[in-house]
Amino acid sequence: MHENFGVFRREEQMQQQGGIVEGLRERYEKVVVEDKGEVFNSDLTQALELGFMLELAACMVVCGLARKESRGAHARPHDFPNRDDDNFLKHTIVTWDDGAPSLDWRPVTMTKWQPKERTY
Amino acid sequence: MAVDASAHKPAATIDVALKIWRSSSKTGERELKLYEFEAPDWVTLLDCLDIVKDRLDGSLAYRKSCRMMICGSCGMRMDGAAVLACKTRMYDIARSGHVPVVSAMGNLPIVKDLVVDMDPFWAKFKAMKPYLQPGYDQPEDGREHVISQERMNVIHKESLCINCGCCVSECNAWDAEPEFLGPQALAKGMRFVGDPRDAAKAERLDDYSGQHGIWECTRCYFCNERCPKGVDPRDAIAKLGAEAINEGIDQDMGAKHAQWFVTSAKTTGWLRETELVPKTQGIVSSIKEMKFAMGLLKHGKVPLVPHVAEGVKESRALYDVVKEQGRDGALGIVQGEHALGRLEHAHEQDEKEGDA
């Protein structure tokens, strides 16, 4: 994720990362917790956290690929360098369905502060 | 923004060997285990523990969080001295061929391997009421209470504490008397006693001067020596003592003992040891020490008339300087050039405020 999924993103790198995360999630099915103890078992907590991080990574891949624009910390300078309010002024909502991330959108509630392009 | 992939050179590595005191959470049984591995040359002790846990033994237990000397989680001992694992670089140690022994901190019960129970630590911390107690000198409604940087610099060192427990681990007074408030809690106390916004100064000094407070410190300076953040807890305890005496909170034997040194210095220039015990403990309790006193007398250690030192004038002049400059409180506890600089600032500030 550090190498392929930073702020500046490329389509092919995101695709590639999708495959990597899939592979890791398959391996995770067979994860082993060495520490069998009940006290301060950080081996267990780390294993649990790894599972959560892999699910989150899978969500990020789906979102990143779907958002074909540049906005904030999601920058695609090579294919979609500009903000696209017509198509993407909306929240990305991901739910976990049947062991895989499922993509959805939700409208943004705007009040006092109207969104505008960052020009500085 | 393009990164040249060819710039990634293969990292230089070192061969690290570590011995870790493992401790079972069930039986408390301890075992010294050796671990050997290859690591990048930039690793810290904490990175090494991560490598051991990831590659060699997943059951190793230790605390960690920030990896950059901010959170205070990874306090432990290396070769018997408390360190933050994340601050301890392994390069020189590994290259020298030395095999360091890593163990849990001292003075706190071991939970498992390198993890200690911090409850006694936090109990003392809480006992200090470690939060500002506002009272007098309130700012106008809606205004902030602005304190100059110079005034905060006075408690700069005490504010650096990250509650890692390294000082408590090393504290000899805590080792002898586990009820002792300890260096961390007392340094935290000074952080509030020295804060111009806190209204509970006298109350705090009274609290901290109890049986297991300020005066129970043995002044071994291990806490100053081992604190990874430069808090210098012993200096903070000295400041608390000086402030307490200044506030007239001097009923503890420790305070009386300290005061007698001052009296001795300004009257004769020598420590008047003969009178030290009665002045510290009181006459009644001193009678119990008669046997000891007779021993001293026998060895010629008790001059019948206190002798006055040749340079007593200098000693008295020093006393006057301290009084004149108002350095008989915390401001008199100065160590090093850096602290002196801060002291000057504090005085300038007071003068400015005095003029206004």
Side-chain angles (χ1 to χ4, degrees):
Chain A
M1 292 299 283
H2 195 68
E3 278 176 21
N4 292 331
F5 233 91
V7 172
F8 298 98
R9 297 166 178 181
R10 287 169 188 266
E11 176 83 19
E12 65 273 18
Q13 274 182 311
M14 289 193 282
Q15 296 281 8
Q16 189 194 343
Q17 187 62 25
I20 294 172
V21 172
E22 260 330 288
L24 288 174
R25 287 186 55 218
E26 263 167 48
R27 280 181 64 189
Y28 184 72
E29 297 290 318
K30 290 174 274 180
V31 75
V32 173
V33 177
E34 250 181 280
D35 192 345
K36 311 294 181 196
E38 289 171 10
V39 175
F40 217 96
N41 188 338
S42 47
D43 206 25
L44 176 63
T45 54
Q46 282 180 11
L48 291 169
E49 284 165 3
L50 176 63
F52 299 150
M53 282 194 284
L54 287 172
E55 287 183 3
L56 190 63
C59 295
M60 284 174 67
V61 170
V62 172
C63 303
L65 283 166
R67 194 172 272 278
K68 298 190 186 306
E69 62 155 353
S70 287
R71 185 184 296 270
H74 167 79
R76 302 181 61 165
H78 310 286
D79 43 7
F80 302 103
N82 299 316
R83 218 172 77 166
D84 178 0
D85 279 355
D86 293 340
N87 293 310
F88 291 106
L89 184 53
K90 53 190 178 182
H91 295 295
T92 317
I93 303 292
V94 186
T95 43
W96 202 252
D97 265 348
D98 228 0
S102 152
L103 188 68
D104 199 2
W105 308 93
R106 193 175 287 173
V108 178
T109 311
M110 278 168 289
T111 54
K112 187 176 177 185
W113 304 105
Q114 294 299 313
K116 58 179 183 178
E117 199 144 354
R118 183 185 289 197
T119 51
Y120 52 86
Chain B
M1 289 300 288
V3 176
D4 179 8
S6 65
H8 287 284
K9 279 182 241 159
T13 60
I14 44 176
D15 291 315
V16 182
L18 279 180
K19 281 182 183 168
I20 303 178
W21 272 109
R22 304 294 304 269
S23 180
S24 158
S25 60
K26 270 195 183 143
T27 61
E29 231 169 89
R30 301 188 77 197
E31 187 189 352
L32 189 60
K33 278 196 176 172
L34 175 70
Y35 299 92
E36 291 171 297
F37 48 90
E38 200 181 15
D41 59 358
W42 44 258
V43 289
T44 62
L45 174 57
L46 182 60
D47 295 322
C48 288
L49 295 178
D50 283 344
I51 291 171
V52 170
K53 190 171 176 69
D54 286 351
R55 296 194 218 149
L56 304 174
D57 189 343
S59 70
L60 178 67
Y62 52 98
R63 282 202 182 92
K64 65 163 181 174
S65 182
C66 79
R67 303 169 297 131
M68 50 183 88
M69 296 173 270
I70 294 295
C71 76
S73 298
C74 65
M76 57 187 69
R77 273 178 167 169
M78 188 166 84
D79 290 333
V83 295
L84 280 183
C86 66
K87 192 188 172 186
T88 309
R89 292 264 177 200
M90 295 303 288
Y91 184 81
D92 289 339
I93 297 166
R95 293 293 296 268
S96 75
H98 175 57
V99 182
V101 175
V102 182
S103 56
M105 286 198 291
N107 278 339
L108 294 162
I110 296 175
V111 174
K112 182 186 172 185
D113 298 338
L114 305 175
V115 178
V116 292
D117 177 7
M118 294 289 279
D119 281 357
F121 176 96
W122 293 117
K124 309 280 175 63
F125 178 78
K126 281 179 193 159
M128 305 310 283
K129 299 186 182 151
Y131 37 83
L132 278 178
Q133 299 191 38
Y136 58 79
D137 195 19
Q138 286 292 305
E140 286 171 48
D141 276 351
R143 292 282 186 89
E144 289 173 55
H145 198 146
V146 182
I147 304 292
S148 71
Q149 186 59 49
E150 284 74 19
R151 292 298 294 271
M152 290 313 281
N153 283 350
V154 174
I155 49 168
H156 172 73
K157 284 200 294 184
E158 289 78 8
S159 306
L160 293 174
C161 178
I162 57 172
N163 315 328
C164 64
C166 284
C167 58
V168 164
S169 161
E170 308 302 280
C171 178
N172 285 297
W174 183 309
D175 184 27
E177 174 50 75
E179 292 288 306
F180 175 44
L181 282 172
Q184 192 279 336
L186 287 168
K188 186 59 72 183
M190 184 57 214
R191 185 251 167 273
F192 290 99
V193 163
D195 192 314
R197 292 166 296 181
D198 192 83
K201 183 178 174 185
E203 216 173 282
R204 286 182 189 280
L205 289 169
D206 204 35
D207 268 6
Y208 307 165
S209 294
Q211 193 189 353
H212 301 300
I214 301 171
W215 302 103
E216 203 159 75
C217 167
T218 62
R219 308 172 201 204
C220 68
Y221 282 86
F222 270 38
C223 52
N224 278 18
E225 191 69 26
R226 304 279 163 75
C227 171
K229 297 294 284 187
V231 172
D232 289 342
R234 171 55 217 164
D235 293 9
I237 297 170
K239 289 179 202 170
L240 285 174
E243 287 293 306
I245 290 175
N246 243 9
E247 292 278 334
I249 301 162
D250 54 4
Q251 292 313 294
D252 190 276
M253 278 201 278
K256 288 180 183 166
H257 193 80
Q259 278 180 309
W260 186 249
F261 275 74
V262 177
T263 310
S264 293
K266 85 172 167 192
T267 49
T268 59
W270 292 107
L271 173 59
R272 289 157 62 181
E273 253 175 311
T274 328
E275 293 148 278
L276 187 61
V277 175
K279 292 292 179 190
T280 301
Q281 299 188 0
I283 300 292
V284 178
S285 146
S286 304
I287 291 170
K288 291 183 196 147
E289 308 285 349
M290 270 324 266
K291 198 178 159 201
F292 179 62
M294 295 314 281
L296 285 178
L297 187 67
K298 206 168 114 193
H299 289 93
K301 296 251 179 187
V302 184
L304 293 173
V305 182
H307 49 269
V308 177
E310 214 174 291
V312 69
K313 272 190 186 158
E314 233 172 292
S315 164
R316 285 174 190 163
L318 196 59
Y319 177 85
D320 292 338
V321 166
V322 168
K323 279 283 173 200
E324 242 169 60
Q325 299 188 355
R327 293 197 188 191
D328 42 358
L331 287 180
I333 313 296
V334 178
Q335 292 204 335
E337 294 292 316
H338 196 56
L340 271 173
R342 289 203 299 274
L343 189 66
E344 292 306 317
H345 277 306
H347 279 304
E348 280 165 28
Q349 191 63 27
D350 284 340
E351 274 161 28
K352 267 185 225 159
E353 279 171 16
D355 294 342

